[in-house]
Amino acid sequence: MKYTALVLAAGKNAARGISYKKALAEMKTGESVLDKTVSVFLEDERCRQIVIVTNSADLQKLVQSHKSGKVLHVKGGETRVDSVLHGLTAVSEDVVLIHDGVRPWVQKSSIDAILEKMETENACVLAIKPKGALLEVEDGYVKNVFRPDYMQTQTPQGFKTSFILKCYTTAHHLGFDMMDDAQLVSRVSDEKIAVVEGDIRNVRYLLKG
């Protein structure tokens, strides 16, 4: 299945030119976190387009560093919803995988699992079972303990492009700003969201210092 990877590397207040330091941080291998993140999509023949959403301060630097013809750079917006919406308007494929630019360790097997689900679904997310117990706390006391059906979302999250574009357009008009695509879809639509098991290695890069 052909798809576009929409990689978010804009950070907060992207339109104001505030640099997203994590995405541009240098890893031990000498490459940036963003370059490592993008590499799995560059190596995947099914990925026909990579749309990187970044801020104005970093845009020129990133354009010069990415030579592949399937990489397109888009300027982010004031909010995450605006940034995703800017990126979605540039997507060329019918399926889009929206991914956090500071999750450089996503595995190809996770992409395979999402794409398999996208054969029949409009939306699919990666999720893992949390380690340890989850507690619901009220007034400093435990009210409820972990229920085994709770899971924690990861990215990438897959969607039919026309569907997720409609969702983000609605969210923009309503003034919503959410940090998770599945949460937004649940807020503005009744669409069922398929879940496939993620990978504990697929974590956010932690910037030291």
Side-chain angles (χ1 to χ4, degrees), residues 125-196:
V125 302
L126 288 175
I128 57 172
K129 294 180 180 179
K131 296 179 180 178
L134 290 178
L135 303 178
E136 181 182 359
V137 179
E138 185 176 276
D139 298 327
Y141 292 90
V142 173
K143 182 181 179 182
N144 245 326
V145 182
F146 167 77
R147 285 192 285 174
D149 53 343
Y150 285 169
M151 298 186 77
Q152 181 179 356
T153 60
Q154 297 181 321
T155 67
Q157 299 184 8
F159 305 94
K160 295 291 172 60
T161 303
S162 58
F163 168 72
I164 194 64
L165 181 57
K166 181 179 179 180
C167 289
Y168 266 93
T169 300
T170 300
H172 173 76
H173 289 320
L174 293 174
F176 294 162
D177 188 29
M178 299 178 184
M179 301 307 293
D180 184 84
D181 307 299
Q183 180 188 17
L184 183 142
V185 169
S186 296
R187 185 76 180 273
V188 302
S189 82
D190 296 323
E191 185 71 29
K192 289 185 177 180
I193 304 171
V195 177
V196 293

